[in-house]
Amino acid sequence: MSDNLQEQLYQRIREGLLAGRFQPGQALKIRDLAAQWGTSPMPVRAALQRLVAEGALEGEQQRSVRVPAMTRERYEHIFQVRLGLEGLAVELATPRLSRDDLALLRECVQRMEVAIEQRQVQDYLSANSQFHLQLYGACGNPVLVRSIESLWLQIGPFFNRLFTGADLSLRLNDFHEEAFAAIEAGDAKAARQAMEQDLIYFARFLLNLLALEQGEG
């Protein structure tokens, strides 16, 4: 039973990281999470330790871990790898998608559009992560999917910063719509190009933001 509970807590925290429900630098206290979820500290500690081992969290004191802070250099390194892996995953996935997959992706795009209009950050980030990871998951290469998810665990919390620019939010869904149109048409190359443009466009914004925060700009 404890193993099942640990796995459930691990998946809950993991999904929160992927969907940007935690902030960079945020401390996750074991006793606070245990009280929040009505469980003992032991399975919470075990779940957090798994994520520390995966590089998604950083160990601090015995009673807490921390979501890693983001630096410009770290983001740039992650982005360089993401660009190649995620572009490849989209190209491989496009001809493999079922009607149910397409329906879910379409729904995600629609949810993102509504979230942008209503300025609902968490709703947007949840639909965004589902769109990307559902798409990549259809690529047929489990090694590729695991690599992408590992990077998303590290970058997910930083996606909250996409809503710091009022004008930027107007473009948050453009590339998803272009990618989905290409996917629906079965054009794998165009789908890959649209997704890579999505990554490049927002990487420029976030890297500039980090440069300003670190006094480099």
Side-chain angles (χ1 to χ4, degrees):
M1 185 66 166
S2 61
D3 288 345
N4 288 338
L5 179 57
Q6 177 191 320
E7 181 64 25
Q8 289 172 16
L9 295 174
Y10 166 79
Q11 291 296 338
R12 185 180 298 183
I13 300 167
R14 187 176 184 276
E15 289 167 8
L17 290 166
L18 291 171
R21 287 194 285 272
F22 299 106
Q23 297 283 343
Q26 180 179 346
L28 303 180
K29 297 184 178 180
I30 293 170
R31 291 197 179 277
D32 289 350
L33 291 174
Q36 178 184 335
W37 294 328
T39 184
S40 69
M42 187 176 297
V44 177
R45 182 180 294 110
L48 291 174
Q49 286 174 345
R50 284 179 64 183
L51 289 160
V52 169
E54 293 174 6
L57 298 173
E58 292 178 340
E60 286 199 318
Q61 300 173 352
Q62 269 190 330
R63 298 177 185 274
S64 71
V65 299
R66 184 171 68 98
V67 179
M70 185 58 66
T71 65
R72 193 176 192 277
E73 182 180 41
R74 182 165 178 259
Y75 185 91
E76 193 163 29
H77 290 165
I78 293 172
F79 162 71
Q80 288 170 350
V81 182
R82 285 184 63 211
L83 187 63
L85 295 185
E86 294 182 35
L88 174 61
V90 172
E91 189 170 352
L92 293 174
T94 296
R96 298 172 56 91
L97 292 166
S98 67
R99 288 185 179 179
D100 288 344
D101 291 328
L102 291 172
L104 179 57
L105 294 175
R106 183 184 297 108
E107 179 191 346
C108 289
V109 173
Q110 292 168 349
R111 284 165 49 205
M112 283 187 276
E113 193 64 32
V114 171
I116 290 168
E117 291 172 1
Q118 298 179 354
R119 304 291 293 179
Q120 295 295 324
V121 177
Q122 288 306 317
D123 289 348
Y124 173 84
L125 293 176
S126 178
N128 176 66
S129 65
Q130 187 176 16
F131 177 86
H132 282 266
L133 297 176
Q134 181 76 21
L135 175 56
Y136 304 151
C139 73
N141 185 328
V143 175
L144 181 56
V145 173
R146 283 196 298 270
S147 298
I148 290 171
E149 289 184 349
S150 174
L151 294 171
W152 267 67
L153 286 170
Q154 299 176 60
I155 204 73
F158 193 59
F159 288 155
N160 286 282
R161 304 304 300 275
L162 290 171
F163 277 81
T164 58
D167 59 333
L168 179 64
S169 67
L170 299 177
R171 294 215 63 184
L172 277 174
N173 217 23
D174 290 358
F175 298 108
H176 296 134
E177 292 173 350
E178 291 174 17
F180 181 73
I183 289 165
E184 206 170 26
D187 190 337
K189 295 287 187 185
R192 176 173 186 163
Q193 184 177 25
M195 195 61 72
E196 288 176 344
Q197 287 303 307
D198 175 58
L199 299 181
I200 292 168
Y201 182 85
F202 295 109
R204 285 175 181 159
F205 169 80
L206 293 171
L207 286 168
N208 287 336
L209 182 65
L210 285 166
L212 289 171
E213 291 178 348
Q214 295 171 214
E216 299 173 12

